[in-house]
Amino acid sequence: MEGLPTSLGASSTLPSMSLSDILQQSRKLTNQLGRDSDLPAIQLGIDQIESQSRKLVSKSVRSGNPSADARAHYLLASGGIDATQLSNAIQQTNIANTFEPLQPVFDTDMEGFLRHEHEQVILSMIEEGRRDAQDDFQQGLSRSLHSDWQSRKQRILEELGQHRTSDEANISLRRSTLGMSASMTDAPMTPAASRGTSDASVMQHSRTIRYDTVMARLNRARLDGTTMPLIHALMETVESFTQDPARKRALLDAWVALKHMVHESQADAIPTPVRAREYAPVYMDVDAFQCTPAGTALREKWVRGARAFLEAQFAEYVEQVIASNPLKAQRGGVPSARATAAAFLRVQLRTAEGAWPTGLSRPLDAHTHVPLWALVYHLVRMGHTSEALTCVQDNEDALQVSDSSFLAFFKAWADDAQRQLPRSMRDHWMGEYVTRFRNMAPEDPYRYALYRLMGRFDVTKKFPAPLVMSTENWLWLQLCLVSESAAAAEPADVQAPTLQTYTLHDLANKLEKYGEAHFDPKGHRPLHYFQLLVLVGRFENAIAFLHSRAAYQVDAIHFAIALTYYGLLRVSRASQAPSFDYLTTIDHVAYLDLAKMLRRFIGSTFAQASRRDALAYMSVLCLNADCAPPIGAEQVERCHELVQALLLESPASAYAELLGDIKSDDIRAPGLIEQQGPLLHLTDRATLLHDVLLPAAEQCVREQRMTDAILLYNYAQERDTVMSVLNRELSTTLMEPADLSDWSLPVEEGMVPLTSSAHIVTLARAVLANYEQQGHTSAQMQVCHTLLDLKRAASLYRAEQLPAALQVLETLRLLPLDAESRKDVMSITRKAEEFKAYDDTITKNFSDIVLMAMNLLYKLHQTLKDSMDRTNSTVLFEYQSQARALMMWAGMLRFRMSNETYCQLTRLDVYVRGYTQG
């Protein structure tokens, strides 16, 4: 049509039009129609159009969807609902006056209007207060549940981890006991297997007990300030185990390896102890360990110790081979190191025809007639370097033909404590090495190995297969290539790859890159991989690995303790400790969460069995007190947390054992915690109270363990706190009946009831008697006396000893029951004012106390009325007078009770006074 835009794009180019313009254009729409058209002209204005539109919309809304309405009416009718009647009722409902007063308030009734507004304000305040109280309660409950859930979740997760470990232990023990292959471990256990698992558990418990004796000796030495050869003591303990010989041998080897690493030597069968925390100043400080000469010296010491262990282990193996083949070995009558090495080579290398392998036949040793290079290499491998030098000197003429300079270089290498050549000699020796072996395969692997080890060449290159037939041989060769001092003094020589630096850290990374699966593919020798990690100085990784094997968790704990004692175990900060695991790595440095490991071990082993041993293990954490801040203080704090946990998990009957007994004359029998206080860094009573006892008592309060809290606060001599907690507990259980004998039992004066596990009444009486005997008085003690009397009255009331209960209440003079307190209105008013000043532990029980008193009067009145003669009318009037005074007194304290309680009081009062008035 004309006048309309041809497209949306065109419309966007038109200027904005007013309503008048739109009206004019709309009229043009009918211009093309003739006047004779039947269509009427549009004459309505904008206002009329709007009015008609609104009417049309309202009509459409009222009419709705007839078919939908019909279906809805049918559906509601099938359920017994009259939709039409319900719709009419809703339409006729008028809620406009919902908040209007019930009685009309006229415009001139100012007093009525204000009264109505006052009531509305009160109602709105009550509703707002109720809503705020509900919100506060929900928020407080959520916080409490969240806080409690966090602690419980941590405990549950630790327990789950502990049980998971136990399951793994059973599986591992089942495998080791039955000796099944990996393919058979999924088979169901037979009765014999179950007995084997049980025997293994008993054996593990026996091992733990034997370890405990060493811990006791260690703590005695620490208390005495003396050193102790801890590793030797633990080795003696392992030798006493009654277990599989192969497993015992592997465990002993691991301890011997650690002994060599810490250099705890032995001379003339007497161990030479290493001072406690000997290596901590260097090792625990990561920067000092990595960047200072002291750290370099410590790593070189480890390398020497690891080599010495592997050499001694190989020498023992050589003796075993010779002993099993004496005829072939032909060692002779003088078992020197040279003769022993020659005998071993005859067994290992010589063929059945008596010939030596090609390449090893020349030259032969002039004395033993075995291949010279193999003999020298094996002497070095056994740790007899001086004998190897003598052997080379004896065969100098034979070596002049092909290796004329070997003797001089070998002597320089053997005489050096670090087993390395001086830089000037090594450069020349590198030329000798390159000339002979760089571009050709070595015929004699032993000659090649000696040349390479002396110069520490080609650290990344593999050794010939005959030299690395075992992991121990491979590791020994790698350790011989390690040079910490050369790495510290010289940078890596890019132009000469034969002089690449190779440190213990590089070797450890290589070993961990291979992983357990490479060295122990079947997983049957966990101690083997553990030992390898120890020999390369990865102590934290080694402990975490061994602890992951359930059958060796006890051993892992004691390896960790030994390393901690010597200062060779880095512990993690509390904020960086992992949630579930024990090992964490920060900047390529491993840390172990020793506190968590000890907590789980103690919790599953000693928590209830031997608290003395539990404390002995806890004290190990305090060895780390010398660590740099904040780790040192955190370790002591975590030790104290373990002591707190031991207190919280122990029954009240164990408090005397842990805390000792306290008498009124301040004579104390120290408990286990005080006896080991110096080891636990609880050197004085103030530290014990602040770090252990009071936090444990506060935790008991939070857990609603009020009796335990009272005992702990009592030991801490926090008398006011004891009375406060005691009063709260008495107040909470005030109306719960107690055994009446609790008030008749004699209280032993002068003794603090630390071991008391009796009812709260007995405990309260004992505490009061003790404090009064010491001359201590306080307002809280008077409150406690009042609460005890009220509880006694409640107990007598529950026991139907009504006269006695009423007499207790009268004597207490808390209520206006005695003649003096109810003689007139002023006396009752004064008694009500006095009640307002009482402690909250009493006043919060107001409703229960006044109801109990009124019930007493009612029951006594009824009993007397049912058996009444005229001589008892005086007593009836007495009850009536007491009830009237009690009702007046309660009325003055009306705001402290609910409407329901007041109604009950009124009803009982009517019953009591109704007879007399009638």
Side-chain angles (χ1 to χ4, degrees):
M1 294 183 199
E2 292 180 344
L4 288 177
T6 57
S7 67
L8 189 62
S11 67
S12 63
T13 61
L14 295 176
S16 59
M17 295 184 295
S18 65
L19 291 177
S20 300
D21 296 334
I22 295 174
L23 177 61
Q24 293 299 325
Q25 289 191 10
S26 66
R27 289 173 178 171
K28 292 179 182 180
L29 294 175
T30 60
N31 289 343
Q32 61 183 355
L33 301 176
R35 292 187 177 275
D36 57 348
S37 174
D38 295 333
L39 295 176
I42 299 176
Q43 299 295 334
L44 298 178
I46 294 178
D47 295 338
Q48 293 174 310
I49 293 174
E50 180 184 8
S51 177
Q52 293 295 330
S53 299
R54 292 185 182 277
K55 290 180 181 180
L56 182 63
V57 170
S58 63
K59 181 178 178 181
S60 175
V61 171
R62 287 198 301 270
S63 62
N65 188 344
S67 60
D69 290 347
R71 288 195 299 270
H73 280 271
Y74 178 77
L75 177 63
L76 294 173
S78 63
I81 300 175
D82 188 346
T84 303
Q85 182 181 0
L86 182 61
S87 177
N88 293 333
I90 292 174
Q91 292 178 2
Q92 294 174 4
T93 301
N94 183 11
I95 63 173
N97 299 325
T98 301
F99 297 98
E100 293 295 326
L102 297 178
Q103 299 295 331
V105 179
F106 299 101
D107 294 340
T108 58
D109 187 3
M110 185 62 67
E111 182 179 355
F113 173 77
L114 293 176
R115 182 172 60 253
H116 172 69
E117 289 297 317
H118 179 65
E119 291 174 354
Q120 292 300 316
V121 170
I122 292 176
L123 289 175
S124 62
M125 290 178 63
I126 291 174
E127 177 61 24
E128 184 179 355
R130 184 195 65 80
R131 187 167 54 251
D132 292 343
Q134 185 176 2
D135 293 342
D136 291 343
F137 172 76
Q138 292 294 341
Q139 293 175 5
L141 181 62
S142 299
R143 287 193 299 268
S144 177
L145 288 176
H146 180 74
S147 176
D148 187 59
W149 167 240
Q150 292 300 324
S151 60
R152 290 184 181 274
K153 181 176 69 173
Q154 184 67 22
R155 186 176 300 177
I156 289 171
L157 291 174
E158 291 183 358
E159 289 295 329
L160 288 176
Q162 174 181 325
H163 291 303
R164 181 187 65 217
T165 299
S166 301
D167 295 339
E168 293 173 355
N170 292 336
I171 295 173
S172 178
L173 289 171
R174 177 179 65 182
R175 293 179 180 177
S176 62
T177 304
L178 298 181
M180 295 189 295
S181 64
S183 61
M184 297 174 61
T185 54
D186 294 332
M189 291 184 67
T190 62
S194 299
R195 289 193 300 271
T197 301
S198 176
D199 293 343
S201 299
V202 172
M203 185 181 302
Q204 187 166 356
H205 179 67
S206 175
R207 290 164 55 200
T208 303
I209 293 176
R210 285 183 169 86
Y211 276 131
D212 295 344
T213 59
V214 179
M215 291 300 300
R217 289 176 52 194
L218 173 63
N219 283 347
R220 283 197 299 270
R222 291 172 60 194
L223 286 171
D224 296 338
T226 60
T227 56
M228 173 186 174
L230 180 57
I231 294 180
H232 281 84
L234 290 167
M235 288 172 58
E236 293 173 0
T237 301
V238 172
E239 289 176 349
S240 68
F241 290 165
T242 56
Q243 58 182 1
D244 178 59
R247 175 171 173 169
K248 181 194 292 187
R249 181 69 262 172
L251 192 56
L252 275 173
D253 282 347
W255 280 113
V256 173
L258 186 58
K259 179 189 73 173
H260 280 84
M261 294 297 287
V262 303
H263 289 256
E264 187 178 274
S265 60
Q266 185 173 359
D268 299 329
I270 300 176
T272 303
V274 178
R275 186 169 53 89
R277 308 293 290 175
E278 173 74 21
Y279 305 109
V282 176
Y283 184 72
M284 304 302 283
D285 187 341
V286 177
D287 293 334
F289 178 73
Q290 294 177 345
C291 306
T292 64
T296 301
L298 179 58
R299 293 193 297 274
E300 289 178 344
K301 194 172 185 177
W302 289 352
V303 172
R304 292 196 302 272
R307 283 205 313 258
F309 165 73
L310 293 171
E311 289 164 0
Q313 187 185 55
F314 182 74
E316 185 178 349
Y317 168 72
V318 167
E319 292 291 344
Q320 293 175 359
V321 170
I322 295 174
S324 60
N325 299 275
L327 296 178
K328 192 175 181 180
Q330 300 177 5
R331 178 159 59 174
V334 182
S336 62
R338 192 169 178 178
T340 299
F344 176 75
L345 291 175
R346 294 187 189 100
V347 176
Q348 294 292 101
L349 299 180
R350 196 157 59 176
T351 64
E353 294 77 16
W356 298 102
T358 305
L360 303 183
S361 56
R362 294 292 181 271
L364 299 179
D365 177 37
H367 293 277
T368 60
H369 305 290
V370 300
L372 177 61
W373 295 110
L375 180 62
V376 174
Y377 173 83
H378 281 86
L379 284 171
V380 174
R381 177 68 180 87
M382 293 166 60
H384 300 299
T385 308
S386 58
E387 286 81 355
L389 177 60
T390 302
C391 181
V392 172
Q393 291 171 341
D394 292 344
N395 293 274
E396 182 179 4
D397 294 339
L399 292 174
Q400 286 295 330
V401 179
S402 59
D403 300 89
S404 58
S405 60
F406 180 80
L407 175 59
F409 284 91
F410 186 77
K411 186 177 187 306
W413 178 80
D415 291 341
D416 187 79
Q418 303 299 330
R419 294 289 185 271
Q420 62 183 17
L421 295 172
R423 177 61 188 267
S424 57
M425 296 187 70
R426 193 179 65 174
D427 292 341
H428 180 73
W429 189 245
M430 182 179 66
E432 296 284 337
Y433 169 77
V434 171
T435 301
R436 288 172 172 79
F437 305 108
R438 198 58 188 275
N439 298 319
M440 63 184 67
E443 291 185 1
D444 191 329
Y446 303 105
R447 179 190 179 203
Y448 166 76
L450 287 170
Y451 268 79
R452 185 171 163 187
L453 293 180
M454 289 166 59
R456 288 190 169 98
F457 301 140
D458 290 335
V459 296
T460 60
K461 193 174 182 180
K462 294 182 179 180
F463 282 92
L467 302 180
V468 290
M469 296 299 290
S470 68
T471 302
E472 290 79 5
N473 287 334
W474 172 84
L475 183 59
W476 180 81
L477 288 168
Q478 297 298 315
L479 287 168
C480 289
L481 293 177
V482 167
S483 177
E484 292 291 335
S485 57
E490 305 172 9
D493 194 337
V494 179
Q495 302 300 323
T498 54
L499 296 180
Q500 289 177 343
T501 59
Y502 191 51
T503 65
L504 189 63
H505 178 74
D506 299 328
L507 174 57
N509 288 339
K510 179 188 292 187
L511 189 144
E512 288 190 323
K513 182 178 179 180
Y514 286 138
E516 179 198 7
H518 178 82
F519 299 103
D520 184 22
K522 295 183 179 180
H524 294 164
R525 302 170 60 198
L527 283 168
H528 178 65
Y529 186 62
F530 167 78
Q531 178 180 297
L532 295 178
L533 290 172
V534 168
L535 291 173
V536 296
R538 293 294 170 90
F539 303 120
E540 296 81 11
N541 304 70
I543 297 299
F545 165 76
L546 189 62
H547 195 272
S548 66
R549 301 301 188 267
Y552 293 95
Q553 286 185 351
V554 175
D555 304 298
I557 289 291
H558 292 87
F559 275 111
I561 291 172
L563 287 167
T564 303
Y565 178 74
Y566 293 109
L568 291 176
L569 193 72
R570 295 191 182 106
V571 291
S572 57
R573 293 182 55 181
S575 59
Q576 298 171 337
S579 299
F580 305 107
D581 297 329
Y582 300 104
L583 191 69
T584 182
T585 303
I586 302 173
D587 296 332
H588 307 290
V589 179
Y591 299 88
L592 193 75
D593 193 349
L594 181 62
K596 184 189 299 179
M597 187 178 290
L598 284 173
R599 178 172 185 171
R600 294 182 181 177
F601 172 71
I602 293 169
S604 62
T605 309
F606 301 111
Q608 302 301 328
S610 175
R611 297 175 185 85
R612 180 184 297 274
D613 293 330
L615 290 171
Y617 280 90
M618 292 174 189
S619 67
V620 172
L621 291 177
C622 292
L623 286 169
N624 291 311
D626 57 1
C627 295
I631 295 179
E634 283 183 353
Q635 290 294 296
V636 174
E637 182 180 353
R638 297 186 74 176
C639 172
H640 295 171
E641 289 174 357
L642 291 182
V643 179
Q644 292 175 31
L646 182 63
L647 270 177
L648 293 171
E649 293 168 4
S650 300
S653 58
Y655 288 172
E657 178 188 10
L658 290 169
L659 302 174
D661 291 329
I662 307 175
K663 297 183 179 180
S664 59
D665 53 1
D666 288 335
I667 297 178
R668 294 188 181 91
L672 294 176
I673 296 178
E674 286 186 276
Q675 292 173 15
Q676 301 193 31
L679 304 182
L680 297 168
H681 279 231
L682 298 171
T683 53
D684 52 49
R685 179 176 174 78
T687 307
L688 172 62
L689 298 183
H690 181 269
D691 293 352
V692 176
L693 204 55
L694 294 180
E698 292 168 1
Q699 182 65 26
C700 287
V701 173
R702 287 192 293 269
E703 296 177 359
Q704 298 299 312
R705 296 167 51 185
M706 294 303 180
T707 303
D708 292 337
I710 291 167
L711 296 177
L712 293 174
Y713 278 125
N714 185 59
Y715 180 84
Q717 296 294 297
E718 295 284 337
R719 294 186 177 93
D720 293 337
T721 308
V722 168
M723 298 312 304
S724 177
V725 176
L726 191 58
N727 290 342
R728 288 202 302 270
E729 180 67 6
L730 280 171
S731 176
T732 303
T733 62
L734 186 62
M735 304 311 294
E736 295 178 7
D739 192 345
L740 294 176
S741 63
D742 289 346
W743 280 272
S744 60
L745 292 174
V747 177
E748 184 177 359
E749 293 186 0
M751 292 300 295
V752 176
L754 268 179
T755 59
S756 174
S757 58
H759 194 270
I760 186 66
V761 172
T762 305
L763 182 61
R765 293 179 64 234
V767 171
L768 285 172
N770 178 264
Y771 289 175
E772 289 170 354
Q773 196 271 342
Q774 295 178 5
H776 179 70
T777 59
S778 67
Q780 288 293 321
M781 291 176 63
Q782 297 302 320
V783 172
C784 187
H785 279 295
T786 302
L787 289 169
L788 279 175
D789 288 339
L790 287 171
K791 190 169 184 65
R792 183 184 178 193
S795 300
L796 290 168
Y797 172 71
R798 298 289 184 181
E800 297 297 327
Q801 299 184 26
L802 305 182
L806 182 59
Q807 183 180 2
V808 171
L809 290 178
E810 290 176 349
T811 306
L812 188 59
R813 298 178 65 86
L814 181 69
L815 307 176
L817 298 177
D818 59 288
E820 180 66 25
S821 300
R822 55 183 171 86
K823 64 181 180 179
D824 51 32
V825 177
M826 292 301 297
S827 300
I828 298 173
T829 304
R830 191 180 305 111
K831 186 61 66 175
E833 292 299 323
E834 290 175 358
F835 185 84
K836 295 178 183 179
Y838 279 107
D839 191 87
D840 288 343
T841 56
I842 298 174
T843 57
K844 77 175 186 179
N845 290 283
F846 168 75
S847 297
D848 294 326
I849 295 171
V850 72
L851 270 178
M852 178 183 67
M854 189 62 81
N855 273 297
L856 268 173
L857 295 173
Y858 166 71
K859 290 183 178 182
L860 288 170
H861 175 271
Q862 284 295 113
T863 303
L864 188 58
K865 185 183 72 170
D866 293 343
S867 62
M868 186 189 71
D869 56 41
R870 292 299 177 183
T871 59
N872 292 328
S873 60
T874 304
V875 180
L876 288 175
F877 278 108
E878 182 76 11
Y879 292 153
Q880 184 264 348
S881 176
Q882 288 178 318
R884 183 174 60 251
L886 186 61
M887 196 63 198
M888 291 176 62
W889 178 81
M892 296 174 183
L893 301 170
R894 173 71 176 82
F895 66 94
R896 293 181 179 268
M897 71 181 79
S898 64
N899 289 332
E900 182 183 357
T901 302
Y902 194 75
C903 289
Q904 292 183 49
L905 286 176
T906 304
R907 185 172 60 253
L908 291 172
D909 178 53
V910 170
Y911 289 155
V912 173
R913 294 197 288 164
Y915 170 78
T916 306
Q917 293 172 355

